[in-house]
């Protein structure tokens, strides 16, 4: 997972943005963004909630959490809420972050599915169901893609999922088989790997093929480095372009599958 800490490195291409450019909340910088929703707690679990409706999206962050990058992830949540969804952003690391940890993998494995991760996702899904949501999807980044795919493989009722720069290989860090987990995911999942993400996640790879059989797909962003969607520098034109494009794919996928 060394690429978690790499600086964004890009190949210059012509700038292409979805319409209208720069208007997605997800494409505004963390420092400038003013969230539209409400922070609260489900027991001890911090969450951010925004939007309304019978369809919902659970957002799971990467290993750097959202307490230090709240504006960016809340902007993504707000973008989805503007599409007519109730959105719940969870803080699965209880305010902690992989940033600054000498042993990142050791830190990650201190949050096993069996301890808090599984029950916290169940708590979030139940909260949305109790709010009247009848169809619940998920967005994850890095760790968060493993989180919602693990949830789906364990029977938690999610309808579909979207995963920029997925880290589903974290299943192996817990002594289990990544491919076996993904083969148990029966819902449509859109994977959006970066150029330096594993080949099995990209078009033609084994996990991408497994997702395609269930209505999902994989779209590779070859110019991007892992982490670009929720942490990349939006002042870099190519990053801004691909964050906008990823958000468009996300919105379109939910419109079709949720």
């Amino acid at each position: 997972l060394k690429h978690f800490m790499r600086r964004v490195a890009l190949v210059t291409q012509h700038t292409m943005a979805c319409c209208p450019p720069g208007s997605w909340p997800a494409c505004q910088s963390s420092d400038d963004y003013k969230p539209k929703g409400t922070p609260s707690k489900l027991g001890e679990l911090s969450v951010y909630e925004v939007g309304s409706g019978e369809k919902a999206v659970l957002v799971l962050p990467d290993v750097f959490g959202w307490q230090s990058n709240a504006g960016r992830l809340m902007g993504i949540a707000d973008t989805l809420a503007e599409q007519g969804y109730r959105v719940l952003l969870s803080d699965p690391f209880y305010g902690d972050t992989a940033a600054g940890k000498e042993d990142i993998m050791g830190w990650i494995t201190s949050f096993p599915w069996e301890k808090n991760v599984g029950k916290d996702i169940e708590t979030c899904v139940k909260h949305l169901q109790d709010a009247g949501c009848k169809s619940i999807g998920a967005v994850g980044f890095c760790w968060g893609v493993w989180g919602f795919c693990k949830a789906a493989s364990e029977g938690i009722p999610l309808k579909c999922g979207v995963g920029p720069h997925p880290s589903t290989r974290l299943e192996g860090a817990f002594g289990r088989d990544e491919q076996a987990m993904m083969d148990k995911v029966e819902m449509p999942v859109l994977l959006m790997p970066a150029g330096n993400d594993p080949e099995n996640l990209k078009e033609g790879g084994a996990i991408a093929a497994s997702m395609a059989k269930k209505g999902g797909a994989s779209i590779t962003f070859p110019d991007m480095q892992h982490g670009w969607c929720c942490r990349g520098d939006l002042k870099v034109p190519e990053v801004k372009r691909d964050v906008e494009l990823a958000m468009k794919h996300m919105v379109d996928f939910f419109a079709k599958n949720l």
Side-chain angles (χ1 to χ4, degrees):
L1 297 179
K2 292 181 180 178
H3 52 271
F4 284 166
M5 306 303 294
R6 286 180 186 168
R7 187 174 180 175
V8 175
L10 300 165
V11 177
T12 302
Q13 292 184 346
H14 295 292
T15 299
M16 176 182 68
C18 61
C19 182
S23 65
W24 300 90
C27 299
Q28 298 183 27
S29 72
S30 181
D31 291 340
D32 296 340
Y33 190 67
K34 295 182 179 179
K36 300 176 182 178
T38 305
S40 61
K41 285 199 170 187
L42 302 179
E44 295 300 313
L45 180 68
S46 293
V47 296
Y48 169 81
E49 193 161 11
V50 62
S52 61
E54 292 188 346
K55 295 182 178 182
V57 179
L58 172 63
V59 182
L60 299 173
D62 64 7
V63 295
F64 297 101
W66 60 268
Q67 300 288 5
S68 62
N69 195 28
R72 186 75 165 269
L73 287 162
M74 289 177 180
I76 290 170
D78 290 352
T79 295
L80 293 170
E82 288 177 357
Q83 304 302 311
Y85 305 119
R86 179 183 292 270
V87 184
L88 188 68
L89 168 63
S90 170
D91 178 16
F93 308 119
Y94 292 81
D96 202 358
T97 173
K101 300 294 191 295
E102 291 185 6
D103 180 5
I104 292 181
M105 284 306 300
W107 180 84
I108 290 171
T109 54
S110 73
F111 294 92
W113 174 262
E114 298 80 6
K115 187 178 179 181
N116 285 327
V117 175
K119 70 176 184 179
D120 285 347
I121 292 177
E122 287 182 330
T123 295
C124 289
V125 169
K126 185 178 186 304
H127 172 77
L128 292 168
Q129 290 172 330
D130 290 346
C133 299
K134 299 178 180 178
S135 181
I136 302 170
V139 173
F141 301 89
C142 167
W143 178 96
V145 189
W146 169 77
F148 80 67
C149 286
K150 183 65 176 177
S153 76
E154 294 289 334
I156 292 177
L158 297 173
K159 187 73 176 294
C160 58
V162 177
H165 38 91
S167 287
T168 52
R169 64 177 176 173
L170 288 174
E171 183 73 353
F174 294 100
R176 299 183 292 260
D177 185 80
E178 176 190 19
Q179 186 71 48
M181 178 188 75
M182 297 302 287
D183 288 343
K184 289 174 64 179
V185 175
E186 294 298 331
M187 66 181 185
V189 173
L190 173 62
L191 300 173
M192 292 190 283
N196 64 336
D197 277 322
E199 294 300 315
N200 61 350
L201 300 170
K202 300 175 183 178
E203 299 91 328
I207 286 177
S210 180
M211 297 301 95
K213 292 176 182 176
K214 290 160 282 196
S218 179
I219 301 172
T220 301
F221 287 73
D223 297 342
M224 296 295 103
Q225 293 272 315
H226 183 95
W228 101 90
C229 197
C230 61
R231 289 185 285 108
D233 185 355
L234 294 173
K235 294 183 178 67
V236 178
E238 294 84 0
V239 174
K240 186 174 187 293
R241 173 202 69 194
D242 279 2
V243 169
E244 289 178 344
L245 185 57
M247 289 305 302
K248 184 178 187 304
H249 285 313
M250 186 184 297
V251 167
D252 291 347
F253 192 79
F254 282 132
K256 178 181 178 181
N257 294 285
L258 190 58

